[in-house]
Amino acid sequence: MIAQKNGTPDAARVLRRTTIAAMAALAVLAGTAPGSAQSQGATLKIGVPVPLSGSSANAGQDIVNGAKLAAAKINAAGGVLGKQIELVPEDDACDAQTAVQAAQKLVDAGVVAVAGGYCSSAALPELTTFHRVGIPYVMDASTNPKLTEMGYENVFRTIGRDDEQGPFAANFIKNFLHAKRAAVINDNTTYSKGLADNTVEALKKDGVDVVYDDAITPGQMDYSPTLTHVGSLKPDVIYYTGYFAEAGLLVKEARQLGLKMTLMGGDATNDPTLMKTAGPAADDMVITTAPLAQFLSAAHGYVDDYTKAYGQGPGPYSVYEYDAVGVTAKAIANAKSTAPAAINAALHKISGYQGVTGMISFNPKGDRSNAVYIVITVRGGNFTPYQRLDSSGHWVAMK
């Protein structure tokens, strides 16, 4: 056929467009978008973007392991909406550019939701990619406040925020350690700088003299010049807000230099690799963190299952990933749909979900309501519970 010269589509084109429109309408009624891979196939795909290479690969694999345990339990109980959960891990290497590629791979793979995230510097660009298509992103370890401050309806987390941990750390430094002078060191990543800034702000508000507030460069082999300078400023405590790979070396070199002040770390230093790097020098280091699985009464079975499956105990965030997968599956079941908008709406309605890490509800921003932080210490090469705040705001020893 020859199209009319005035630009009006010919009959074939009209028929084709009418057919496409009809298919789109049916897709909307079915809860999917035309051409979308979501909900198609025999499984429900959940993406797990984490670092599987680089210095944080150990933490990333731990998160994947937690996701596998959650999926196995859900699948053994019949799955969700009559389908088995299929996990799709992708390596984001804790790198922003790699994270964009990893997120797009998950979108192309047809995931219906995403549960994961470790470094906030990777989670931020991942979230941007997922937001474009509305896919829900439930994070288990990424704590930068910006992630839930952008007004996106598809972002959630089972962990707390840096602007909650920073004041918590400052409270411990001021009211438990009774420190007058503090040094805060970060590594200039999104997470580390955010936690450092929130801690410094709270310390100053509490009247603690912050004698040092600067960054190191991750991946270096020697931090003794920085530590020598910091030591000369005579702080009562050094709080490092970066990751465990550098933390182990900092602690080891600090003790080799004869620095006697309290050494502290944030919740990216809570990986067992810390002790492997620092050795005996790590003893008496204190760390602010969300409760580890081994310190949660409801997680004893989880710890046993993890140890049996992987030959070692869980790291710090696998249990929060376990709950991220669990609450995502619950939302899909509640929504009775794999449409992203329906899952997001169901996640926002989650209230009192009984996770291994405690009751989970999300506030309007997608943050976990009533997130908890504790202080742990290293003794004999192991993490040991140390201090927590009671309901009256007093520091009490943990058993």
Side-chain angles (χ1 to χ4, degrees), residues 48 50 52 59-69 87 89 310 321:
V48 185
V50 287
L52 297 174
Q61 186 58 56
D62 179 61
I63 290 170
V64 171
N65 291 346
K68 288 179 178 178
L69 288 178
L87 299 177
Y310 303 111
E321 173 69 4

Side-chain angles (χ1 to χ4, degrees), residues 368-393:
R368 180 171 182 164
S369 302
N370 302 318
V372 175
Y373 283 98
I374 63 171
V375 180
I376 63 175
T377 188
V378 179
R379 288 179 181 159
N382 295 300
F383 290 127
T384 304
Y386 188 39
Q387 294 287 320
R388 64 175 179 85
L389 284 172
D390 65 14
S391 58
S392 300

Side-chain angles (χ1 to χ4, degrees), residues 240-259:
Y240 178 61
T241 63
Y243 293 87
F244 58 85
E246 287 74 32
L249 184 56
L250 283 165
V251 169
K252 184 176 182 179
E253 291 183 342
R255 295 314 188 203
Q256 288 174 341
L257 290 169
L259 302 183

Side-chain angles (χ1 to χ4, degrees), residues 26 35 38 89 119 141 148 150 160 194 215 255-256 269 274 294 309 325 333 345 361 371 398:
L26 288 173
Q38 284 135 357
C119 295
T148 49
M150 293 187 287
R255 295 314 188 203
Q256 288 174 341
T269 67
L274 171 80
Q294 58 265 40
V325 173
S361 301
M398 295 179 64

Side-chain angles (χ1 to χ4, degrees), residues 144-306:
N144 187 268
K146 186 178 179 181
L147 286 157
T148 49
E149 289 292 337
M150 293 187 287
Y152 292 170
E153 78 289 343
N154 67 312
V155 57
F156 307 86
R157 53 182 149 203
T158 58
I159 199 77
R161 295 169 36 140
D162 296 333
D163 52 359
E164 295 169 324
Q165 183 180 185
F168 176 85
N171 186 327
F172 179 80
I173 290 169
K174 169 71 182 295
N175 297 314
F176 184 81
L177 295 180
H178 303 293
K180 305 295 184 183
R181 298 163 64 84
V184 180
I185 304 175
N186 71 84
D187 67 8
N188 226 17
T189 61
T190 301
Y191 152 75
S192 181
K193 184 67 164 58
L195 178 56
D197 288 347
N198 281 285
T199 304
V200 168
E201 180 182 358
L203 284 170
K204 290 180 177 179
K205 188 178 296 184
D206 288 344
V208 177
D209 185 11
V210 180
V211 298
Y212 185 88
D213 174 22
D214 209 345
I216 60 168
T217 301
Q220 293 186 346
M221 300 303 293
D222 183 11
Y223 296 109
S224 56
T226 297
L227 289 167
T228 298
H229 173 60
V230 172
S232 72
L233 301 175
K234 301 188 182 305
D236 300 309
V237 58
I238 298 176
Y239 186 44
Y240 178 61
T241 63
Y243 293 87
F244 58 85
E246 287 74 32
L249 184 56
L250 283 165
V251 169
K252 184 176 182 179
E253 291 183 342
R255 295 314 188 203
Q256 288 174 341
L257 290 169
L259 302 183
K260 303 296 185 182
M261 71 282 292
T262 299
L263 301 179
M264 285 183 64
D267 61 349
T269 67
N270 57 9
D271 190 280
T273 307
L274 171 80
M275 285 83 84
K276 295 178 182 178
T277 303
D283 273 10
D284 298 325
M285 180 183 180
V286 290
I287 296 170
T288 57
T289 180
L292 305 185
Q294 58 265 40
F295 305 150
L296 292 166
S297 58
H300 292 166
Y302 172 80
V303 173
D304 291 343
D305 290 344
Y306 189 105

